[in-house]
């Protein structure tokens, strides 16, 4: 069975060592997914695997057989921008742009987790099923995506605006 | 204004004044695109993942490279067995010192105008080893997996030689470097030690800062190939022309036989501001294989082959009168360096320019170690130097029972304290005023350890930020004016997140009197006119000066082209300005012709103007620095010693701000890197082996989202009359003063002075 | 990374049939194993992917939970029964790694993750865990993150898991399937101290697979907490962590107390000596400090990690005081 990458069937590579990340970048030339550390420590390679955010650098391509992968290239139809991509532009949620695809994919997966009621370590009431994605929740849930340029405020503002509404965008003045 | 002044003024507007800075840039105060918060021009590409970085350039027949690293710090390779690697599946060749192309050593940065070598050690030319982690072999294979596997099969045995690996031991044999970025290593005004001894109030303190890694999220990477003896190198670099010149010199080919491209850099911070060994190795391997090569360093590889910030041990001693004015200011210390590089981490530089003192003694030493060359990292010197100086000032303020801001007010100099030059523009105290008001500084408890919420102790701290204005020589720009009146401005400059194309499009639009939509800024390719390093917060000024010079040439050409049928007929270049999509007579609004009209009438499809920027002589005449005030609130757990930064504000005086949106991001980015410097970052260098032990983003702790509070950024918006556009650079000042603001806040919260960075929980237990 | 073969196991029987072969490793989420393979610390010749095995999280008749070995960390942390009845387990998992890694990592894999000792990771360093008999460069090296309890002259590494600290406190049981059949191990018997054989992290036999983890019911778990101290506010391994659960009697005495420490030893450290001091007692500050002292009596700090003794004491006092006072156990 092939892997579905942005709805396109892709054959599993013969070499079992090939990570999902290297499949995307080296074999499919889908360079939107970034290699920051190849150690599971930076989040730049985050993609959605069957809708869940995962690190493609530590996922073997072979493990994805029969599963659906969505990368940053698959978030919006040609020419369009996903609302979160637009929000990243509006809030200057990046500088160099290298961690950006991972941040965006991670945030989309994160929002789905929160919508399912998944708590985080800063959720005060562990049994609550309605998660209010306040600034602390977003910061904690996005902490697996490093940014070295220091766009953190803009990233959190952008995610807050898209997944919680514009009133959450406060906090990073100017 | 005298007639002569008026003429000079006019000349300065368009033709480039013989004395840069003598006349304020006419764009200062002129409404236009500058100052608008435009979104980044490359934003859509970046959020789509469509911006192509150096490791993402496709090439036919591409080979993937992997590196084997030395496991000793000094000595020679006794035996190198590459047979297993060569026989491994997919391997095309293994390059080591025996078969690598013969190359000259890289010319060390600052030894020649375009030299960019981070070190001048030969690269893979013999069996000698100079640091633990040096490349001993490069494997080329059909896939990355094959290359990495084969690299692990390279076997080396070594003859070890005694090595200096312990900073403590090396310090005892420290020396004065020949120069500290062009300055003498010792600066003495009066007898500062004596003044210190006689001062009624004094502090005399030692501060330590560790090694740091730039940790850009994009690892260093190149894709390289040769075409008919010419090298094409897609690089992640902050110094395109330097890489080009230095590689050409090493390979013994003409400079125009090397083309370096780097349209996007995934974070640099100084770490990509040199020619390191990996670019050379990739180019050499591509030559050996006769095929394109991609060398994408692993994260470990970045730590092993590309240096970081060096450790410092600093003494700051301040002797004061009862009113706080300084009798003595002493800032001395030592950093680790190597005999093969020249990067002495100029931590004494802030003390040269910040405060008035009767006697001053500044001294920098270096301790030679057998290690990977250290290099500049965001605000080299100033970042760690302000930590020591600004913490010491906080301690002095406390001894004097003075508010730390009041102490700085009393130390404000009228002229540069060490050069005696006039400041071009200095509004440091305004930064403190703006910041104090917005941050609520009055809420700071003067007695430390007195504010608490549950287990969390709360404190406020403040520190001065400073970074010099710099403009690099050697830049050139081209303006191509098209028949439809649009302009393409180009220079081999760099984009690594600063928003270069966006801000420079705004600046060029105002320079040319065009709407910003009609200007395209091209960069990132050495086939364009020479750029200068994106370092030292200099690039904006360096580009602006070159573009201004090219605009003056363009205006001259346009007047010639306009001829006698134009409303401009008879006007000299000193009498016109570029406005409203064309050229007009100054102070005669009706006398104007549009560019498209001039070109059409002349039957020209385009008009090209090239010019070099004038040398940065303004730096010799004025003391040109940016300033800021960093305000920090921390919460420190009385249980665990964990420090959480809960609020932060930076108030900056950096001249004119070209794009508030991207500028605020750069300030914040500097501050956040400063939070890492203050609290979490340390590259572990094992003094027994000389090996970096945490070459990983899991163990080298850069701040994560949870570490970063909302950061407020404000600025004075005071244009610098001596700088192009009135703007001084903003890329580095953000990190300065942050370490001290955090440490001073920690003291205010807990009563504990931590003088060794980073301030990890164990230090507060 | 060495060339490796890959096969997915359809069920535990098939997995074990393949897993017994030399050079074979079971692959869960890969968050640790793939990293170590890339670092050439692990070099299996074949991988048996066990992610397709049971990931169910079910109630047991006695009121506990049975957790499939392939359950993802995030699924376990987010499971309503875990959140309601074993909140310290949820909190421990959520305090670890990142959202992405928790989505990938399996329960079995988390238990078997290996140390973060930087000398273990670097094949240029001496490490008895990676290369038995080579020596240990950590003992006199950077050892701020290393063990203060139960270490040996051969190894001072710590176990990095957060989840396992909670499982140790909960008296979990691990269900194993191997070439010799099935067996159960008390959680505390899964990981071992390094002694002279630090290359062995656990007592699992060759080819044994973790098929499930069984949690017995524990009333005290409803009043529980997990607190982790680390070098940054998130996404970092613990310097020290504490899982705690208490049950008070009418007189305010500790009818039940469970304590386990992370970041202090080669294994998740059940603090039985501290528990013994506290059980049946009113946990005032003096008593809590006594308990910490009892647990740390055998501690032997290294050059850089003496602070962990203070941290352990501080955590025991603060977390238990909070629990007794009825404060929610949210991590700071």
């Amino acid at each position: 069975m092939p892997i579905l990458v942005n709805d396109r069937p892709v054959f599993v590579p013969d070499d079992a060592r090939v990570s999902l990340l290297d499949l995307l970048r080296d074999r499919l030339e889908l360079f939107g997914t970034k290699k920051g550390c190849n150690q599971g420590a930076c989040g730049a390679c985050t993609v959605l695997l069957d809708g869940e955010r995962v690190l493609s650098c530590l996922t073997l391509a072979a493990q994805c057989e029969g599963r659906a992968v969505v990368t940053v290239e698959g978030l919006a139809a040609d020419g369009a921008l996903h609302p979160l991509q637009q929000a990243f532009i509006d809030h200057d949620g990046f500088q160099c742009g290298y961690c950006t695809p991972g941040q965006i994919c991670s945030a989309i997966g994160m929002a789905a987790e929160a919508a399912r009621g998944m708590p985080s370590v800063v959720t005060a009431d562990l049994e609550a099923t309605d998660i209010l994605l306040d600034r602390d929740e977003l910061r904690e849930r996005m902490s697996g995506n490093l940014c070295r340029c220091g766009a953190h405020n803009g990233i959190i503002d952008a995610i807050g605006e898209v997944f919680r509404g514009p009133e959450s965008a406060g906090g990073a003045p100017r | 204004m005298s007639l002569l002044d008026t003429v000079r003024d006019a000349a300065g507007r368009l033709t480039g004044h013989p004395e840069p800075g003598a006349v304020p840039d006419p764009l200062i105060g002129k409404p236009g695109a500058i100052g608008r918060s435009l979104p980044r021009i490359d934003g859509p590409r970046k959020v789509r993942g469509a911006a192509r970085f150096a490791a993402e350039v496709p090439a036919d027949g591409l080979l993937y490279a992997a590196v084997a690293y030395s496991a000793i710090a000094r000595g020679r390779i006794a035996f190198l067995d590459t047979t297993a690697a060569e026989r491994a599946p997919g391997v095309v060749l293994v390059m080591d010192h025996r078969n690598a192309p013969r190359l000259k050593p890289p010319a060390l940065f600052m030894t020649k105008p375009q030299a960019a070598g981070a070190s001048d050690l030969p690269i893979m030319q013999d069996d000698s080893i100079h640091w633990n982690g040096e490349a001993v072999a490069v494997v080329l294979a059909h896939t990355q997996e094959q290359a990495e596997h084969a690299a692990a099969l390279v076997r080396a045995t070594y003859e070890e030689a005694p090595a200096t690996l312990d900073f403590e031991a090396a310090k005892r044999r420290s020396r004065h470097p020949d120069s500290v970025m062009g300055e003498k290593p010792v600066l003495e005004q009066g007898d500062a030690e004596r003044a210190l001894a006689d001062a009624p109030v004094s502090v005399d303190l030692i501060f330590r800062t560790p090694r740091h890694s730039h940790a850009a999220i994009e690892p260093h990477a190149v894709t390289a190939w040769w075409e008919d003896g010419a090298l094409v190198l897609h690089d992640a670099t902050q110094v395109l022309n330097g890489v080009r010149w230095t590689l050409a010199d090493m390979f013994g080919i003409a400079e125009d036989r090397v083309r370096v491209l780097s349209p996007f850099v995934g974070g640099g911070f100084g770490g990509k501001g040199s020619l390191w060994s990996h670019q050379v190795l990739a180019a050499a391997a591509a030559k050996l294989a006769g095929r394109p090569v991609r060398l994408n360093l692993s994260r470990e590889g970045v730590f092993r082959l590309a240096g970081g910030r060096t450790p410092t041990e600093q003494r700051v001693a301040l002797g004061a009168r009862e009113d706080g004015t300084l009798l003595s200011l002493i800032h001395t210390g030592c950093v680790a360096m190597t005999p093969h590089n020249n990067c002495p981490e100029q931590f004494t530089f802030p003390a040269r320019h910040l405060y008035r003192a009767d006697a001053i003694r500044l001294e920098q030493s270096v301790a030679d170690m057998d290690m990977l060359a250290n290099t500049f990292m965001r605000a080299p010197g100033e970042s760690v130097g302000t930590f020591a100086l600004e913490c010491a000032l906080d301690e002095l303020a406390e001894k004097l029972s003075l508010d730390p801001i009041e102490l700085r007010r009393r130390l404000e100099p009228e002229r540069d304290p060490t050069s005696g030059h006039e400041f071009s523009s200095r509004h440091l105290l305004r930064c403190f005023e703006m910041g104090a008001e917005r941050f609520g500084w009055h809420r700071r408890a003067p007695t430390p350890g007195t504010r608490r919420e549950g287990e969390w102790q709360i404190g406020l701290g403040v520190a001065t930020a400073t970074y010099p204005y710099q403009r690099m020589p050697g830049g050139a720009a081209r303006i191509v004016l098209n028949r439809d009146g649009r302009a393409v401005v180009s220079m081999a400059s760099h984009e690594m997140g600063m928003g270069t194309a966006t801000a420079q499009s705004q600046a060029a639009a105002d320079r040319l009197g065009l709407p910003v939509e009609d200007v395209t800024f091209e960069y990132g390719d050495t086939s364009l006119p020479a750029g200068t390093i994106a370092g030292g917060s200099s690039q904006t000024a360096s580009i602006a000066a070159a573009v201004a010079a090219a605009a003056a040439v363009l205006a001259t050409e346009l007047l010639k082209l306009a001829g006698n049928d134009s409303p401009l007929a008879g006007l000299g270049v000193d009498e016109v300005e570029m406005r409203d999509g064309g050229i007009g007579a100054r102070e005669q609004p009706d006398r104007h012709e549009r560019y498209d009209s001039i070109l059409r009438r002349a039957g020209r499809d385009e008009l090209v103007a090239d010019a070099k920027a004038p040398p940065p002589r303004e730096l010799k005449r004025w003391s040109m620095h940016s300033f800021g005030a960093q305000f920090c609130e921390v919460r420190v757990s009385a249980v665990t010693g964990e420090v959480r930064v809960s609020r932060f504000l930076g108030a900056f005086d950096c001249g004119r701000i070209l794009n508030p949106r991207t500028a605020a991001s750069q300030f914040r980015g500097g501050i956040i890197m400063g939070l890492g410097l203050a609290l979490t970052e340390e590259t572990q260098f094992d003094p027994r082996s000389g090996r970096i032990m945490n070459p990983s983003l899991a163990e080298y702790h850069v701040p994560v989202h949870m570490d970063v509070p909302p950061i407020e950024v404000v600025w004075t918006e005071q244009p610098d009359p001596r700088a192009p556009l009135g703007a001084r650079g903003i890329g580095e000042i953000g990190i300065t003063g942050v370490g001290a603001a955090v440490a001073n806040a920690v003291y205010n919260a807990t009563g504990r002075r931590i003088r060794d960075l980073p301030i990890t929980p164990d230090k507060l237990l | 990374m060495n060339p490796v073969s890959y096969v997915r196991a359809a069920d535990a029987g098939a997995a074990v049939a393949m897993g017994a072969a030399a050079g074979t490793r079971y692959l869960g989420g890969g968050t640790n194993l793939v990293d170590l393979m890339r670092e050439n610390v692990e070099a299996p010749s074949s991988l048996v992917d066990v992610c397709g095995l049971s990931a169910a999280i079910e109630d047991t008749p006695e009121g506990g939970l049975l957790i499939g070995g392939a359950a993802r960390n995030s699924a376990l942390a987010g499971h309503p029964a875990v959140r309601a009845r074993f909140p310290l387990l949820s909190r421990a998992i959520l305090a670890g790694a990142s959202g992405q890694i928790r989505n990938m990592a399996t329960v079995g894999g988390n238990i078997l993750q290996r140390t973060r000792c930087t000398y273990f990771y670097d094949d240029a360093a001496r490490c008895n865990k990676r290369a038995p008999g080579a020596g240990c460069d950590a003992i006199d090296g950077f050892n701020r993150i290393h063990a203060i309890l139960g270490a040996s002259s051969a190894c001072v590494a710590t176990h990095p898991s957060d989840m396992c600290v909670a499982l140790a406190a909960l008296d979990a049981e691990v269900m194993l399937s191997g070439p010799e059949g099935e067996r159960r191990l008390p959680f505390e018997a899964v990981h071992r101290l390094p002694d002279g054989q630090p290359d062995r992290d656990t007592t699992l036999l060759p080819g044994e697979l973790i098929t499930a983890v069984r949690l017995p019911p524990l009333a005290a778990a409803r009043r529980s907490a997990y607190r982790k101290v680390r070098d940054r506010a998130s996404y970092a391994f613990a310097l020290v962590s504490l899982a705690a659960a208490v049950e008070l009697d009418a007189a305010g005495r500790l009818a039940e107390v469970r304590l386990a420490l992370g970041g202090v030893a080669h294994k998740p450290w059940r603090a039985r000596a501290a528990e013994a001091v506290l059980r049946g007692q009113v946990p005032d500050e003096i008593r809590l400090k006594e308990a910490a002292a009892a647990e740390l009596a055998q501690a032997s700090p290294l050059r850089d990690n003496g602070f962990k003794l203070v941290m352990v004491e501080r955590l025991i006092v603060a977390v238990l005081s909070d629990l007794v006072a009825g404060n929610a156990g949210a991590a700071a």
Side-chain angles (χ1 to χ4, degrees), chain B residues 323-376:
Chain B
D323 67 357
T325 54
L326 288 181
L327 294 160
S328 174
L329 191 173
I330 298 171
H331 195 167
T332 62
C334 186
V335 310
M337 214 173 77
T338 76
H340 52 86
N341 75 321
N342 182 19
C343 208
E345 195 74 25
Q346 56 271 31
F347 61 82
T348 56
F349 277 22
R352 287 166 194 256
H353 314 290
L354 279 180
Y355 303 119
R356 190 159 49 86
D358 290 6
I360 296 177
R361 175 176 167 76
L362 309 174
E363 179 179 7
Q364 290 209 209
S365 305
V366 296
D368 290 322
M369 293 183 65
D370 292 297
M371 62 180 198
L372 169 61
N374 62 296
T375 192
F376 21 74

Side-chain angles (χ1 to χ4, degrees), chain B residues 88 151 171 247 285 438 551:
Chain B
K171 254 176 3 201
L247 280 174
R438 290 192 70 92

Side-chain angles (χ1 to χ4, degrees), chain A residues 17 25 27 32 34-36 39 79 85 89-90 92 95-96 103 139 142-143 148-149 153 171 173-174, chain B residues 40 46-48 56 145 213-214 217 219 299 497 661 665 668-669 681 697 705-706 708-711 715:
Chain A
R17 292 174 296 187
R25 288 173 64 86
R27 275 94 179 155
K34 302 302 182 190
K35 184 181 274 192
Q39 298 168 319
Q85 291 173 317
I89 295 173
D90 295 343
D92 214 33
Q95 291 184 43
C96 77
Q103 301 272 2
R139 291 197 300 150
M142 290 301 296
S143 279
R148 189 54 161 167
C149 295
N153 283 183
R174 194 153 195 169
Chain B
R40 290 169 193 270
K46 286 180 174 174
V47 299
R48 285 190 177 105
E56 301 170 353
E145 292 79 14
S213 171
H214 307 80
I217 304 298
R299 181 54 57 178
R661 179 195 303 244
S665 289
R668 285 199 183 96
E681 293 184 35
L697 291 179
H705 281 290
M706 201 62 197
V708 180
I711 293 170
W715 47 77

Side-chain angles (χ1 to χ4, degrees), chain C residues 90-102:
Chain C
S90 272
R91 292 216 181 271
I93 294 170
L94 295 170
S98 68
Q100 292 94 313
I101 292 174
R102 295 192 295 268

